[in-house]
Amino acid sequence: MASYHDPLVSGRMDLAGFLDEAAALGFRTVELCDRTLSLDALDTARRLLDQRDLSLGSIAIRNDFTLCDQADRQVDHVLSWLEAAERLGAPVARVWTGVTHTDAAAREQVAACLHRVAKAAEALGVTAVVETHGGLSNDPGYLVPVLRDLGRSSLGVCVDFGNIPADGRDAVVTEFVPYTSHVHVKTYAFDHSGRDTTVDVARYVTELHAAGFDGFWVIEYEGEPSHRQGVLRTVDLLTATLPWLRT
């Protein structure tokens, strides 16, 4: 849905319109989010998906576990959406660490929150993935030990190439590869050869595939309109790198 953020936020496109677009483009699976879904309209969302023969691969949940006085509230929000993911048949739910704080107290609080999330996700049969989205989530020196300490297959990493600063991006992606359960393929603009001019998508996709990644590749085109052409060019870039993805 990030590829159509502007039309969705502006109201020019609604959930049904987005799903129509996804189906028209030939997709079989989509990622939805807690901003375009509501907990009291899950049955409607399921019906809209079924009408278009679409499956729900993942739900993106927005949270900030670094807020010092809102840990329980933030975890409760995430847990409610993990239950929604299970109800809608989505095997993956994206969460954030949050970016408000990065101090020692925040590091401890995030780890505690992720422990609660991983335990709930495991009980529901859902995989929670922490997206590289700034703050502590972009620091493998912090996040990898947390994942190791928890030792749960229900918690992994969602690597978003574009959310990692260019300086040091290659090393950060490499460190996260063994823990990656979900990928946001961020693109912005393309050169004449079809490569993204901001992110070396082909390099990172190849590295993940070589390491055995077999999860979802979620397209997040965040360049200038047309959104449809940006999505299609991202598809072309992905399938030129990994031809079997075309099927």
Side-chain angles (χ1 to χ4, degrees):
M1 295 194 82
S3 300
Y4 291 85
H5 176 270
D6 290 345
L8 285 163
V9 169
S10 68
R12 300 193 310 275
M13 176 181 280
D14 59 9
L15 176 59
F18 168 74
L19 296 178
D20 284 340
E21 177 78 349
L25 288 170
F27 288 98
R28 300 175 183 175
T29 306
V30 294
E31 177 176 280
L32 303 181
C33 71
D34 61 358
R35 183 173 290 171
T36 47
L37 288 176
S38 64
L39 290 173
D40 58 359
L42 298 181
D43 289 340
T44 298
R46 181 71 271 166
R47 175 174 53 81
L48 292 173
L49 287 161
D50 290 344
Q51 287 173 345
R52 294 154 179 82
D53 197 24
L54 290 168
S55 64
L56 183 59
S58 49
I59 292 180
I61 307 169
R62 291 169 169 80
N63 63 278
D64 190 339
F65 289 150
T66 73
L67 294 170
C68 58
D69 58 345
Q70 292 189 27
D72 288 340
R73 177 181 174 185
Q74 294 290 316
V75 170
D76 286 345
H77 173 75
V78 170
L79 297 189
S80 68
W81 279 98
L82 288 178
E83 292 173 358
E86 188 273 337
R87 179 174 164 184
L88 290 173
V92 175
R94 188 287 315 272
V95 301
W96 290 337
T97 60
V99 297
T100 305
H101 303 288
T102 57
D103 57 14
R107 296 164 77 90
E108 183 176 345
Q109 181 165 290
V110 168
C113 290
L114 289 176
H115 178 79
R116 295 173 62 187
V117 167
K119 185 176 180 180
E122 186 173 45
L124 291 165
V126 174
T127 300
V129 292
V130 184
E131 182 180 356
T132 54
H133 205 271
L136 294 171
S137 68
N138 279 6
D139 180 5
Y142 167 75
L143 192 55
V144 167
V146 169
L147 294 171
R148 286 176 178 162
D149 289 345
L150 292 177
R152 293 179 181 269
S153 60
S154 57
L155 187 69
V157 173
C158 170
V159 171
D160 185 313
F161 313 133
N163 290 340
I164 302 171
D167 185 18
R169 181 184 290 143
D170 293 352
V172 170
V173 171
T174 295
E175 287 193 66
F176 277 138
V177 161
Y179 305 91
T180 298
S181 304
H182 199 61
V183 177
H184 282 176
V185 183
K186 185 72 62 65
T187 53
Y188 299 94
F190 303 89
D191 62 20
H192 66 279
S193 70
R195 299 178 73 90
D196 188 81
T197 58
T198 303
V199 179
D200 192 351
V201 172
R203 171 181 177 144
Y204 304 135
V205 167
T206 300
E207 185 174 359
L208 283 158
H209 177 61
F213 173 76
D214 63 353
F216 289 112
W217 307 89
V218 182
I219 292 175
E220 289 196 353
Y221 172 70
E222 294 193 354
E224 297 296 323
S226 115
H227 306 286
R228 172 177 282 206
Q229 287 304 312
V231 168
L232 290 174
R233 296 199 73 175
T234 307
V235 170
D236 288 342
L237 174 55
L238 275 172
T239 55
T241 307
L242 301 176
W244 56 269
L245 276 177
R246 178 66 68 178
T247 61

